[in-house]
Amino acid sequence: MTQQAFIDIAEPQPPEAQASVQEGSAPPPAAQDDGQAQDGALPRVPLRELEDGQRLKGVYAVRERELRRKRNGEPWLRLVLGDASGTAEAVSWEDAEALYALAAPGSAVEAGGVFEISERWGPKIKLAALREPVPGSYDPAELAAESEVSFEELEGKLRQLLETVQKPQLRLLLERFFGERSPIWARFREAPAAKVYHQAYRHGLLEHTVSVAQAVSAAANFFPGIDREIAVAGALLHDLGKTVAYNDDPLAIDLTDAGRLQGEIPLGYYTVRREIEEIPGFDPGLAQAVLHIILSHHGSLEHGSPVVPSTREAVLVHMIDNLGGRLGSFDRLERELPAGESWSSFDRALSGSAYFGSNRTAA
């Protein structure tokens, strides 16, 4: 197979021919139709705009790939394709191993097929063909999800928050991470906040951090006994480990080896602690307060925190961080919701479906 060779997927069996496949195997394909991609021109359709039964042919990013097997042992392929508008699951029951080798996460592929919405299996692209795109035939910017808030606006809000911290040692510590010449800032400003669930795009970590720190700053004024500056500093630093835990591929965000082997919380804790130890005479009590926020911000041992929140400031940051993550999931689901739909499919982050109102209309 040459690099640009088109892989045409053999005609799948119709559902009635799949009757022998046991419950729990791959979802049966629909009968072959005219959705197979041809060399004839089809306009590239943003994934969010796909409608049931619509043919598509275009270049999309491979977010995820997985080679699964039916009960009878035959392989089938599951992909998650993405562009700037959202993601869509794509499946093939033919030539699964060859397609798996072609569709590496982070790569761009030209996909042809039909988008179908099944009551049982949900929305999926039934792949008819797949190939490597011709160089220069697509704009990579159209394939990477982006924040709806500009970087300039996010950075401006961050700088405003930093100005509200008056404790000299906290200001010095924060400058080491968010100063314009800081190498950590160069990575922080580009990093995603997650692989999938919320703010999973370039500048996502900055967007999430700013929103959490803004909410912590505001909420601290309504609860007695909270040291607002410690809480804000902890909020700004709580997810710093994600700069190391996630890769820098905007087309296929994934955990790095360090992220898998150590985890984002330990990575963030040691990164901040090393900087604290470089500051002569840093107050041990102040250091402990900030580091505790980082270690406990997931809220419980089963969710990855080595300790549970034990200070007012840590409880506040955990609660706001959790709220920000869950509301970020609503943003993600709404971006991916087909036009005219009010309910999302089941979402693991929410442990249910999201409702966006009965007055949604088709775009």
Side-chain angles (χ1 to χ4, degrees):
M1 180 178 65
T2 63
Q3 183 179 21
Q4 297 300 327
F6 208 49
I7 299 182
D8 291 316
I9 301 167
E11 180 175 344
Q13 300 177 25
E16 56 269 20
Q18 297 282 336
S20 61
V21 179
Q22 301 180 36
E23 185 71 22
S25 62
Q32 179 76 6
D33 54 28
D34 292 333
Q36 186 165 345
Q38 305 294 334
D39 289 336
L42 273 178
R44 180 186 177 279
V45 181
L47 292 174
R48 186 180 181 184
E49 298 178 10
L50 289 173
E51 298 178 355
D52 191 17
Q54 184 171 3
R55 295 175 58 203
L56 74 148
K57 178 185 177 183
V59 178
Y60 302 97
V62 179
R63 301 278 196 257
E64 300 176 23
R65 68 173 176 177
E66 185 178 5
L67 196 62
R68 295 183 176 181
R69 294 194 179 273
K70 307 173 187 177
R71 293 284 179 87
N72 63 9
E74 294 179 358
W76 64 281
L77 178 68
R78 173 188 174 272
L79 299 177
V80 175
L81 301 179
D83 62 12
S85 72
T87 60
E89 188 173 359
V91 295
S92 174
W93 292 269
E94 305 294 335
D95 295 326
E97 293 174 334
L99 295 175
Y100 178 87
L102 180 63
S107 67
V109 294
E110 183 175 332
V114 179
F115 180 73
E116 297 178 345
I117 301 176
S118 163
E119 289 186 4
R120 182 174 185 183
W121 306 112
K124 298 184 189 301
I125 297 171
K126 184 185 69 175
L127 290 172
L130 203 70
R131 71 177 176 187
E132 295 182 11
V134 176
S137 64
Y138 65 96
D139 182 358
E142 294 182 351
L143 306 185
E146 290 281 351
S147 171
E148 295 183 0
V149 185
S150 71
F151 167 74
E152 290 75 18
E153 181 177 347
L154 291 171
E155 183 181 25
K157 292 178 179 178
L158 173 70
R159 302 297 167 200
Q160 290 175 359
L161 280 167
L162 292 171
E163 288 298 320
T164 70
V165 177
Q166 299 300 311
K167 289 183 171 66
Q169 289 185 328
L170 286 182
R171 287 181 67 92
L172 184 57
L173 177 63
L174 293 172
E175 178 66 20
R176 286 174 171 256
F177 296 107
F178 302 112
E180 294 184 2
R181 297 184 179 180
S182 166
I184 295 178
W185 166 243
R187 170 57 184 150
F188 187 97
R189 56 180 285 174
E190 304 292 327
K195 178 180 177 180
V196 175
Y197 292 129
H198 68 92
Q199 283 105 351
Y201 41 70
R202 184 168 170 255
H203 306 322
L205 180 57
L206 176 60
E207 180 183 317
H208 172 67
T209 299
V210 167
S211 66
V212 170
Q214 284 181 318
V216 164
S217 179
N221 295 318
F222 299 103
F223 299 97
I226 292 178
D227 188 314
R228 191 198 66 84
E229 293 197 9
I230 289 177
V232 168
L236 290 171
L237 297 171
H238 79 281
D239 268 346
L240 197 75
K242 290 181 176 179
T243 61
V244 182
Y246 289 103
N247 65 9
D248 56 0
D249 184 351
L251 298 188
I253 298 167
D254 204 350
L255 288 168
T256 62
D257 291 342
R260 292 178 184 274
L261 293 172
Q262 299 179 54
E264 64 177 76
I265 288 181
L267 288 169
Y269 166 79
Y270 285 115
T271 300
V272 176
R273 179 167 180 169
R274 281 197 302 267
E275 293 300 321
I276 287 175
E277 290 173 349
E278 292 294 321
I279 300 175
F282 199 97
D283 180 4
L286 192 59
Q288 184 165 265
V290 172
L291 293 172
H292 176 67
I293 291 173
I294 296 171
L295 289 172
S296 66
H297 77 267
H298 281 185
S300 63
L301 304 184
E302 56 266 32
H303 289 154
S305 278
V307 293
V308 298
S310 300
T311 65
R312 291 183 175 93
E313 294 79 16
V315 169
L316 177 60
V317 171
H318 160 61
M319 291 296 186
I320 297 296
D321 176 55
N322 187 50
L323 176 63
R326 292 179 71 85
L327 292 178
S329 291
F330 277 86
D331 296 337
R332 165 179 53 84
L333 291 169
E334 187 171 25
R335 281 196 301 269
E336 298 175 358
L337 198 67
E341 296 291 328
S342 297
W343 284 94
S344 76
S345 58
F346 178 88
D347 186 70
R348 289 179 59 190
L350 300 178
S351 300
S353 299
Y355 180 65
F356 294 98
S358 58
N359 60 346
R360 281 181 60 90
T361 58

